[in-house]
Amino acid sequence: MSDPRRVLERLLRKGERARLRGDAAPASLPMTEASARDYLSLRTLAERETFHAQVALAERAGAIVVQRDRHRGDGEHLLRLTVTDLQALADHLGVPLLDSRVREAATVLSPWLPLFPVLAEVLEAWRSDRKVRGHGPEAAQDLADAALAVQARLADDAHERILRRESARLFAGRPQASKRLEQLTPWLDLLSGGALVADGMVEKEHVWAALGLRREPQPLLLAGTGTLLLDGGVELPLATAFLGVPVDAVQGVRTSASCLLSVENLASFHDAARATGADRTLLLYTGGMPSPAWRRAYARLLGSLADDLPVWHWGDIDEGGFRIAAVLAETAAASGHRLQPWRMSPTDGDRVDGQQVHVPTPAVLAAMCRWAERAGWDGVAHALRAHPLCREQEALPAELPHTTDPPP
């Protein structure tokens, strides 16, 4: 981009902001170091003449008026540029004005507004010249593509899909169709979570998993004693090491376990399966963020257990860990159970080396507490505010919730 065009586009944006504020005075740009370094840094006569010529063209187009220093040098030194006709300036630059770009974006997104009300908030932010997830109205088609993908997953939430295969199916004929969903991750997060601003550093795998998208097929892993009930009347004996089955095949479980414990990370799941008390604990591996299909299986398992069976979750003490917990707690509550935190308070596991923990930023801490409270863990949120820290669950040795003798 040339130096004069950069300055004129800066003036255009300033004019648009002034119009949004309802300013009566026309927008202007002083040719100072702060506002027009591009101009003041010109060194050669040819560079200055080119700059002056481009500004003069905008002036002749009726877009701007130019204040020049008539008492210095050749009298062409620029002092200030002022907008006289914002539309003429936009036409001269070949740049559509914000309201035109928002109208075009609204047309692109209008079919999706009934399904995703958050899009109305997006359009309103764009009308106010505010970025959403770092983008303006030019991202409307990306957002529409994300809406198409989320709608497809909502209609098929009983099954998990392979990320790139689903992307290739949805966007067949597009360049790099198999990678399109990965490019749309921030918009998928917005549409599935409903927040204009990203809630901290959300892991992309969590965004995909929440929609039932996986990089590769992932079975439901369980460990414990009893019998797993699958569709078609199939019954499989559980194994204390682990058993993997298709996530959409699970119908229920018969077990003498004294509690159920879901585990976020794979290494900790396998450690827990070897820990003391594993023979009286039904263990589930969530695979990070549980997908809709996984949550359906979880609900069916919970529905086949006694109402008073303790249900626990063990995950990372970080934003992602509590976000996962909130999702599980919602599913558990719908099944008549209350999800309890296991080793997810900063006061748990004080034997961990200090190098294995770190202090979250205020924004991340606020998000952690918000998700903990959404899970119904107000005590954990209070402890986090008093002792802010992040810790991966792998930093802790596997220990299982206290179990009592199973009922006869």
Side-chain angles (χ1 to χ4, degrees):
M1 182 185 296
S2 66
D3 292 329
R5 182 178 181 86
R6 200 160 22 240
V7 169
L8 290 172
E9 288 195 3
R10 194 174 301 143
L11 179 60
L12 179 69
R13 291 193 297 271
K14 191 171 184 180
E16 287 195 294
R17 289 194 296 271
R19 187 161 72 175
L20 284 170
R21 293 193 303 268
D23 291 351
S28 66
L29 195 69
M31 305 303 282
T32 62
E33 180 71 19
S35 299
R37 181 178 299 176
D38 319 69
Y39 176 59
L40 298 181
S41 64
L42 299 176
R43 291 290 177 260
T44 69
L45 177 61
E47 289 174 336
R48 288 194 295 275
E49 287 181 339
T50 299
F51 196 105
H52 291 159
Q54 293 297 318
V55 168
L57 287 174
E59 188 177 25
R60 283 198 289 273
I64 63 173
V65 294
V66 183
Q67 181 184 352
R68 296 178 174 85
D69 188 352
R70 299 299 185 185
H71 305 288
R72 177 179 173 185
D74 58 5
E76 291 297 314
H77 182 75
L78 306 179
L79 296 179
R80 181 179 291 275
L81 309 181
T82 302
V83 176
T84 55
D85 187 327
L86 197 61
Q87 185 62 60
L89 180 56
D91 292 342
H92 175 73
L93 293 170
V95 176
L97 289 173
L98 178 64
D99 53 1
S100 297
R101 288 183 284 135
V102 174
R103 279 198 302 272
E104 183 178 342
T107 300
V108 171
L109 296 176
S110 60
W112 302 107
L113 280 167
L115 185 59
F116 302 105
V118 70
L119 293 178
E121 298 179 48
V122 173
L123 290 170
E124 186 56 38
W126 285 343
R127 289 188 188 98
S128 303
D129 199 23
R130 289 184 287 118
K131 302 288 188 182
V132 176
R133 302 294 176 105
H135 296 277
E138 69 281 353
Q141 188 56 57
D142 287 347
L143 194 43
D145 284 352
L148 171 68
V150 174
Q151 182 197 43
R153 295 308 306 132
L154 291 175
D156 184 39
D157 64 356
H159 304 91
E160 293 186 347
R161 300 297 179 193
I162 304 305
L163 177 68
R164 291 198 170 180
R165 185 174 296 164
E166 181 69 357
S167 186
R169 184 186 73 84
L170 288 172
F171 303 107
R174 305 269 196 97
Q176 294 190 314
S178 66
K179 299 179 181 178
R180 182 64 174 147
L181 282 174
E182 293 166 69
Q183 298 165 353
L184 299 174
T185 299
W187 300 122
L188 297 174
D189 181 50
L190 182 148
L191 293 174
S192 58
L196 295 192
V197 179
D199 200 358
M201 294 295 292
V202 180
E203 295 182 28
K204 56 188 180 183
E205 286 80 7
H206 285 185
V207 175
W208 303 332
L211 293 169
L213 296 167
R214 303 283 190 184
R215 282 195 180 275
E216 56 192 20
Q218 183 168 295
L220 177 69
L221 296 186
L222 309 90
T225 56
T227 302
L228 187 63
L229 311 178
L230 304 180
D231 54 10
V234 176
E235 299 186 2
L236 286 179
L238 288 170
T240 53
F242 69 88
L243 176 67
V245 296
V247 69
D248 53 357
V250 175
Q251 297 300 314
V253 65
R254 291 196 300 268
T255 180
S256 59
S258 298
C259 67
L260 182 150
L261 174 66
S262 52
V263 183
E264 177 182 342
N265 296 298
L266 186 59
S268 295
F269 168 79
H270 288 303
D271 289 345
R274 294 190 293 267
T276 302
D279 57 334
R280 291 186 290 165
T281 304
L282 181 61
L283 292 167
L284 295 178
Y285 169 51
T286 73
M289 173 61 74
S291 69
W294 193 100
R295 297 197 298 271
R296 284 172 178 262
Y298 183 55
R300 288 192 288 267
L301 289 171
L302 290 173
S304 64
L305 298 172
D307 292 342
D308 59 351
L309 188 85
V311 178
W312 306 81
H313 176 66
W314 180 27
D316 294 331
I317 299 181
D318 60 16
E319 184 179 348
F322 287 110
R323 187 176 186 178
I324 290 169
V327 170
L328 291 173
E330 181 180 354
T331 303
S335 301
H337 292 267
R338 185 176 71 86
L339 187 71
Q340 302 177 69
W342 177 245
R343 313 192 82 189
M344 291 191 67
S345 171
T347 57
D348 296 334
D350 54 3
R351 293 171 294 168
V352 174
D353 190 306
Q355 294 182 348
Q356 294 176 299
V357 302
H358 68 273
V359 178
T361 66
V364 169
L365 176 63
M368 291 167 64
C369 293
R370 186 163 58 250
W371 286 114
E373 289 168 345
R374 190 175 298 185
W377 300 349
D378 292 353
V380 172
H382 178 76
L384 283 168
R385 294 187 180 99
H387 307 283
L389 64 81
C390 290
R391 180 178 64 221
E392 294 181 345
Q393 71 175 144
E394 291 94 338
L396 292 173
E399 294 179 6
L400 300 179
H402 173 71
T403 57
T404 58
D405 290 334

